[in-house]
Amino acid sequence: MSTFLSYLTVLALATLLLAPALYGLARDRRIDRRLREAADGRSGRTLRTAPQKSSSRSTVPSTATW
């Protein structure tokens, strides 16, 4: 029984150490896929954008420094 618990402990520690790395790898692959799709002009997914404000005045950037 002690051997089984040792294996289980090693498996749990390995999972805890590998989980963040595997999550980051999956995230990087997803971002790379979206960049390739954007470069090819395909739109595999619609991006959510903020609603546009309609204004008759043009926006001038602020030059004030504090």
Side-chain angles (χ1 to χ4, degrees), residues 18-57:
L18 290 176
L22 294 175
Y23 176 77
L25 180 66
R27 183 175 180 262
D28 286 346
R29 289 178 58 109
R30 185 171 52 245
I31 290 171
D32 289 343
R33 185 180 66 238
R34 288 183 185 169
L35 288 173
R36 276 195 309 274
E37 288 175 356
D40 291 343
R42 295 179 292 180
S43 121
R45 175 182 159 169
T46 58
L47 298 175
R48 291 184 221 154
T49 57
Q52 298 291 329
K53 294 181 181 178
S54 61
S55 173
S56 60
R57 297 180 1 182

Side-chain angles (χ1 to χ4, degrees), residues 3-31:
T3 305
F4 176 72
L5 289 177
S6 297
Y7 284 133
L8 198 59
T9 303
V10 169
L11 182 63
L13 288 174
T15 302
L16 286 174
L17 291 174
L18 290 176
L22 294 175
Y23 176 77
L25 180 66
R27 183 175 180 262
D28 286 346
R29 289 178 58 109
R30 185 171 52 245
I31 290 171

